[in-house]
Amino acid sequence: MVDVDSFITEKVTEIEDAVGDENAVIALSGGVDSSTAAALAYEAIGDQLTAVYVDTGLMRKGETEQIRETFSYMDSLRIVDAQERFLDALGETTDPEEKRHIIGEQFIREFETVAKDVDADYLVQGTIYPDRIESEGTIKSHHNVGGLPEVVDFEGIVEPMRDLYKDEVREVARELDLDALVAERMPFPGPGLAVRIIGEITAEKLEVAREANHVVEEELEEYEPWQALAAVIGKATGVKGDNRVHGWVVSVRSVESRDGMTARAQEIDWETLQRIQSRITGSHENVARVVYDVTHKPPATIEYE
Ligand code: XMP
């Protein structure tokens, strides 16, 4: 990229020319790529663009609020509260791949509803250069929104950042005043907290997982992990106050990695681990135990499902 200002000017014109008088949609994931593509496209075509954020209920703590705040200037922003529909669709499903599939399908259904509603002819995507060259075997290979172009019949797809690297996207984001999103953020899987809950997804397990992930991200920031996370992995007996409880077991995991293909579990000091334990067991009456996962990848994966 030669220069951020001229890149933005050039892309704004390109998007205007591509979309013309038609309407366009973009799916916001909460990450920097889709957010930057949305801001860029909005600069070009204003409210002809509908940015769609589907609140699946599987997102990190505060994610929906952050989207609402960051894009409050877009009149056409659509935040779809689909939490109950995702929970219903997942029902009692326990198989990891089946859960991923249900989430992907439901996402497409939610997005398609809005795309039809606003009569969208164009799909804007935040695809960047590494997504295109690493389409196999890496993080984005199983990303939920990958199937959108095939499912919804668009006249065209606009990918303004298809030749940019991540650091260049961050430069553009900064220029577009998306400062809150520019800070290095850990990768977060498309199916969200669903891959951090073993077995059936319930509202209570989600509540525990969301808070525990928040605690872990906060406490382990200084270790600069590739990813730090918490998963609800089962139930075990504990004592809370004077009562024995059969409560959730939360596993904390923090790994360093270059590309997610292999990973090393990080060594965390005892005091920090104890603080995490205390915050997580204190966060919900039904959390009985916190354990720390010392397994590298391989043989484990980074996520739990
Ligand atoms: P695993 O668990 O396979 O994770 O070691 C490797 C990297 O991929 C992410 N991951 C996903 N990302 N959809 C995604 O968008 C998924 O279904 C998915 N599963 C795992 C994971 O967070 C890690 O960065």
Side-chain angles (χ1 to χ4, degrees):
M1 187 170 56
V2 202
D3 157 76
V4 185
D5 275 339
S6 14
F7 173 84
I8 293 176
T9 314
E10 189 187 310
K11 291 298 163 183
V12 163
T13 313
E14 253 179 56
I15 299 167
E16 276 170 355
D17 291 347
V19 179
D21 294 330
E22 313 284 359
N23 293 323
V25 272
I26 182 167
L28 288 174
S29 69
V32 68
D33 299 346
S34 62
S35 297
T36 308
L40 202 52
Y42 194 79
E43 187 108 345
I45 57 172
D47 288 330
Q48 279 166 264
L49 175 78
T50 300
V52 186
Y53 173 80
V54 179
D55 184 354
T56 61
L58 309 168
M59 322 302 286
R60 282 176 280 198
K61 185 174 177 177
E63 204 129 50
T64 305
E65 291 73 16
Q66 165 155 26
I67 289 278
R68 201 187 304 280
E69 203 178 300
T70 307
F71 295 107
S72 57
Y73 67 93
M74 289 187 187
D75 287 336
S76 52
L77 173 70
R78 288 273 190 110
I79 294 184
V80 182
D81 181 358
Q83 302 186 53
E84 275 186 26
R85 291 193 290 278
F86 274 83
L87 265 187
D88 282 351
L90 284 161
E92 293 176 0
T93 311
T94 54
D95 179 74
E97 286 314 309
E98 209 175 314
K99 283 201 257 180
R100 273 199 176 80
H101 183 73
I102 292 170
I103 293 165
E105 290 279 302
Q106 188 64 34
F107 186 90
I108 288 171
R109 214 165 296 145
E110 300 288 345
F111 188 76
E112 194 180 16
T113 305
V114 181
K116 286 195 171 142
D117 189 40
V118 299
D119 222 353
D121 296 296
Y122 288 88
L123 174 68
V124 182
Q125 288 200 304
T127 319
I128 65 172
Y129 186 62
D131 298 339
R132 296 198 287 130
I133 52 170
E134 299 169 8
S135 61
E136 281 305 305
T138 53
I139 307 168
K140 294 250 168 140
S141 65
H142 35 208
H143 199 282
N144 283 326
V145 294
L148 284 177
E150 292 90 58
V151 178
V152 189
D153 196 16
F154 292 106
E155 208 168 291
I157 295 171
V158 183
E159 293 178 323
M161 304 179 324
R162 65 198 311 273
D163 296 321
L164 298 191
Y165 283 97
K166 199 79 174 186
D167 53 335
E168 295 173 320
V169 175
R170 291 186 198 285
E171 275 182 61
V172 177
R174 223 170 270 124
E175 193 62 29
L176 293 169
D177 289 330
L178 294 172
D179 293 312
L181 286 157
V182 173
E184 265 313 327
R185 241 175 142 183
M186 287 174 209
F188 188 64
L193 297 174
V195 294
R196 298 181 180 171
I197 291 174
I198 292 185
E200 193 183 329
I201 313 278
T202 64
E204 180 169 300
K205 279 160 118 177
L206 272 172
E207 206 182 309
V208 170
R210 195 174 347 264
E211 191 55 35
N213 272 278
H214 170 66
V215 168
V216 168
E217 275 196 28
E218 223 173 60
E219 292 287 350
L220 296 181
E221 198 184 346
E222 66 184 273
Y223 284 85
E224 297 178 359
W226 158 267
Q227 271 174 303
L229 56 99
V232 178
I233 60 171
K235 279 199 141 180
T237 302
V239 210
K240 285 266 181 115
D242 293 332
N243 301 319
R244 281 168 79 86
V245 292
H246 193 226
W248 301 114
V249 180
V250 173
S251 177
V252 173
R253 181 152 178 67
S254 188
V255 297
E256 39 190 50
S257 173
R258 220 167 15 149
D259 52 12
M261 301 297 281
T262 59
R264 286 192 71 78
Q266 285 188 308
E267 204 173 314
I268 308 295
D269 77 278
W270 184 248
E271 211 177 296
T272 308
L273 285 174
Q274 280 301 334
R275 205 167 47 240
I276 290 173
Q277 175 278 119
S278 159
R279 284 183 65 184
I280 295 178
T281 49
S283 70
H284 197 283
E285 55 183 2
N286 278 344
V287 178
R289 261 164 226 250
V290 173
V291 298
Y292 185 67
D293 189 339
V294 298
T295 327
H296 304 312
K297 173 183 179 177
T301 50
I302 295 176
E303 304 291 349
Y304 278 76
E305 290 221 314

